Amino acid sequence: MSLGFKNSLFFGQFNTVQLGSSKSRSQKHRILSIEPVRTSVLDGYIVPINIKGKIDNLGKVKLNKDFVLRSKSVLTVDKDVDVDGNGELGRESSNYDAIVIGSGIGGLVAATQLAVKGAKVLVLEKYVIPGGSSGYYERDGYTFDVGSSVMFGFSDKGNLNLITRALAAVGCEMEVIPDPTTVHFHLPNDLSVQVHREYIDFISELAAKFPHEKDGILKFYGECWKIFNALNSLELKSLEEPIYLFGQFFQKPLECLTLAYYLPQNAGDIARKYMKDPQLLSFIDAECFIVSTVNALQTPMINAAMVLCDRHFGGINYPVGGVGGIAKSLSKGLVDQGSEILYRANVTNIILEHGKAVGVRLSDGREFFGKTIISNATRWDTFGKLLKGETLPKEEENFQKVYVKAPSFLSIHMGVKAEVLPPDTDCHHFVLEDDWARLEEPYGSIFLSIPTVLDSSLAPEGHHILHIFTTSSIEDWEGLSTKDYEAKKKVVADEIISRLEKKLFPGIRSSIAFMEVGSPKTHRRYLARDKGTYGPMPRRTPKGLLGMPFNTTAVDGLYCVGDSCFPGQGVIAVAFSGVMCAHRVAADIGIEKRSPVLDAALLRLLGWLRSLA
């Protein structure tokens, strides 16, 4: 939930709306010119000036008139996607500048960024719709997001609105609905905290819960803003491209040095510099857990700062029609640029010639060749399956020594009668009822998304969608007969629903009109992710982001993109990964400037830095 939080674990101003009605909360906004971040002082601490008062209203941006956001596609291979694609490609195609394996957000951003630079790109998707864990499916009149409904990077300002920028690059705009509350925490000891869209409102509420820690709260989040402002002021391109890096350093030396300083640091260490209250530190753990599926001591400070600030700066903005519209828009934009996307294209092998990646082979025997290959699969799938039989490169061995696969999820998609939810219900909730120690345990904490609070068109009239997910290991679901497997899904789902009924919504069980349960095996099957994982998780306390690999690999011509690359999990993170990958590939195929001598020196330096982790 997808830093879309896609992947990262879990991851609107508006008019009043009655739950179950079709009254819109959205307002108009368009993507305008990018302005530098200005800051001011609040109680002696640095915050962006635009959040001292009310954040600017956001709202709708129109889609291209000829683009249909909703689709009749469902989670089955019996129906094809209604996004333009090319199903008649030749068996021996070899005229591509880049072939992208997988159409997750990272892969699509990389593909579209390359296409607008003039590259000929082919995206191969094994499923019938694009998006991966940011996809969608339809059942009985409901349109469900596969993964998180918490959408970052969808604002109209700054440099970290990467989804907006990626869409605009291929001539696409989307209608969005601003979310007034990022997440409502329901925590042990009856601690309830709403993360309001407006920073001052959030800080005021948190300081009211911990008045003795107000100074520390301001200092910790102030450091987050320092990092965010540095990131948000830079032109974001590949950190593996030295000409770009030198240019950014000479233009913004202070911002670059700020990021370098925080690169090896974790959020928990910085929080403990300023805060002492154990419950407040546990709250910071919960904040980071949503970002990275680990506690604050294991969450890189840069990752935490990106999310903990962007939710106030750009805000969470939900795309009308569902999250799946993002991938559909990018796919359409890719085709409009003259590139291609092929569905039902299950890549089983990356083809090497003299140690260089030159093509891919599909499960049906077709082969496609290109100058470069970009894998949107996880690094475990890329090197363990697509390059099966090849010697594992040393840098991948080192990566697997530092990181393990993050857990998968048990997911529950439900349709419920609207009257069971109070009229002031927030869209996103995080529930950990009785024991802070259960935060990282399987089934310990629950994330709940109710996107129909923002967009009622996703469900039949008078109904809401509840998307519930909690961490779960695939090992807990293996070795079961079909009967036992289905019975276990029902038992675990019943327990989760009972907890929500007790904590949030009395009577919710009797209001259920539709329910589907997915285990980690479901996530593995449909998303082709090893063990259903959602990105890497450090084996031990990491040194910030130092250990994260970038887009290039030890295999010539092969690049990786997505949540197992720098900077990691989440919608912002994988979009950033896609932008970086496209820039590096464009330089390597001659579309952008490059310096082979500087390239080699920088890659050696980055390899050495990763070894320090």
Side-chain angles (χ1 to χ4, degrees), residues 162-417:
L162 294 174
I163 299 299
T164 298
R165 287 169 169 262
L167 290 167
V170 289
C172 292
E173 298 175 325
M174 290 192 69
E175 204 172 11
V176 301
I177 305 171
D179 190 348
T181 304
T182 302
V183 61
H184 189 165
F185 285 97
H186 310 270
L187 301 168
N189 305 315
D190 293 323
L191 177 62
S192 172
V193 179
Q194 286 178 282
V195 179
H196 302 282
R197 187 183 183 95
E198 300 202 27
Y199 178 66
I200 292 176
D201 292 342
F202 163 62
I203 288 296
S204 297
E205 177 166 334
L206 188 60
K209 306 285 185 181
F210 301 96
H212 54 293
E213 290 276 22
K214 180 180 180 181
D215 187 66
I217 290 169
L218 288 169
K219 287 181 177 178
F220 171 72
Y221 286 100
E223 290 215 33
C224 290
W225 280 111
K226 188 186 301 183
I227 296 167
F228 179 85
N229 288 338
L231 275 172
N232 204 29
S233 68
L234 298 175
E235 180 185 11
L236 301 179
K237 289 187 176 182
S238 177
L239 301 182
E240 297 179 284
E241 206 294 292
I243 295 176
Y244 154 76
L245 282 181
F246 288 141
Q248 288 296 293
F249 183 80
F250 286 121
Q251 292 176 35
K252 301 284 181 71
L254 181 61
E255 289 82 355
C256 291
L257 290 172
T258 296
L259 296 176
Y261 173 75
Y262 285 103
L263 184 66
Q265 300 193 58
N266 297 322
D269 294 320
I270 293 175
R272 280 159 177 77
K273 284 170 51 179
Y274 302 122
M275 307 172 188
K276 303 301 180 186
D277 189 297
Q279 185 164 232
L280 178 57
L281 290 172
S282 293
F283 171 76
I284 301 299
D285 281 336
E287 286 255 75
C288 290
F289 184 70
I290 291 181
V291 175
S292 59
T293 66
V294 290
N295 61 40
L297 286 169
Q298 293 186 293
T299 301
M301 184 62 179
I302 289 179
N303 283 21
M306 285 172 67
V307 173
L308 299 184
C309 295
D310 190 58
R311 64 191 184 185
H312 305 293
F313 179 83
I316 305 303
N317 303 292
Y318 187 79
V320 171
V323 169
I326 300 171
K328 292 182 68 176
S329 296
L330 290 172
S331 299
K332 179 183 183 300
L334 178 74
V335 174
D336 289 345
Q337 292 294 320
S339 287
E340 297 158 324
I341 181 166
L342 181 62
Y343 299 97
R344 301 178 186 269
N346 181 24
V347 177
T348 56
N349 296 94
I350 293 172
I351 300 171
L352 302 183
E353 288 184 1
H354 307 295
K356 183 182 189 304
V358 297
V360 299
R361 183 177 299 113
L362 307 190
S363 57
D364 61 9
R366 283 179 294 172
E367 295 179 344
F368 299 96
F369 296 88
K371 295 178 183 177
T372 58
I373 309 298
I374 300 172
S375 177
N376 195 192
T378 70
R379 296 187 90 97
W380 293 282
D381 289 290
T382 300
F383 289 93
K385 297 178 181 178
L386 301 181
L387 286 169
K388 192 172 184 178
E390 301 293 331
T391 301
L392 186 66
K394 182 65 176 176
E395 67 176 37
E396 296 306 318
E397 283 186 15
N398 293 337
F399 166 68
Q400 294 183 24
K401 288 177 182 177
V402 177
Y403 292 93
V404 296
K405 303 175 190 73
S408 187
F409 300 100
L410 178 92
S411 56
I412 307 171
H413 288 95
M414 294 197 318
V416 302
K417 295 177 182 177

Side-chain angles (χ1 to χ4, degrees), residues 540-612:
R540 51 191 175 274
T541 302
K543 293 183 179 178
L545 284 171
L546 278 184
M548 285 294 292
F550 290 91
N551 302 113
T552 58
T553 73
V555 178
D556 187 21
L558 176 63
Y559 304 79
C560 285
V561 68
D563 55 39
S564 55
C565 302
F566 178 96
Q569 304 172 354
V571 173
I572 289 182
V574 297
F576 189 9
S577 173
V579 170
M580 290 192 296
C581 187
H583 180 212
R584 181 64 263 179
V585 170
D588 289 342
I589 63 177
I591 294 178
E592 294 198 12
K593 292 181 180 179
R594 65 169 298 193
S595 168
V597 174
L598 291 177
D599 285 348
L602 178 60
L603 291 177
R604 284 196 297 270
L605 173 62
L606 292 173
W608 174 76
L609 287 173
R610 282 194 291 271
S611 71
L612 299 179

